[in-house]
Amino acid sequence: MQRVSTQELAAVPLLGRTAPTFHHTMVGARRIVLFDDRPPAFIAELHSDGSGAWATRALLHPLPEDDSSPWAFGADTDYIVTLVMSALHHLA
């Protein structure tokens, strides 16, 4: 567990980044939980059976106020695609 935790804390799973993503680990039931409590607060669970989960909060941007969109906020789709690709690559 210590070897995997050390390896994962040094990893840079986010595409386009050069610094580690996770800064803390804890051990759960048959899993290692990686997290970073600084915004946008990344978390990953790596299970002993090979499954896993990855989560973060998408950054929202205010949208211009007009009659063409009922939404007040939107998300950067390129950022979301990069996050999904990074998470899938890391979990694989």
Side-chain angles (χ1 to χ4, degrees), residues 54-79:
W54 230 82
T56 189
R57 195 175 280 168
L59 303 174
L60 297 178
H61 304 286
L63 295 175
E65 293 183 27
D66 60 19
D67 294 335
S68 66
S69 175
W71 310 108
F73 294 94
D76 181 348
T77 55
D78 290 340
Y79 178 73

Side-chain angles (χ1 to χ4, degrees), residues 26-86:
M26 54 186 199
V27 177
R30 295 184 300 275
R31 78 192 86 200
I32 293 177
V33 180
L34 311 166
F35 63 98
D36 183 21
D37 50 8
R38 299 173 299 174
F42 296 100
I43 186 167
E45 291 189 7
L46 307 176
H47 298 254
S48 62
D49 65 0
S51 63
W54 230 82
T56 189
R57 195 175 280 168
L59 303 174
L60 297 178
H61 304 286
L63 295 175
E65 293 183 27
D66 60 19
D67 294 335
S68 66
S69 175
W71 310 108
F73 294 94
D76 181 348
T77 55
D78 290 340
Y79 178 73
I80 292 173
V81 168
T82 301
L83 284 174
V84 171
M85 289 174 36
S86 298

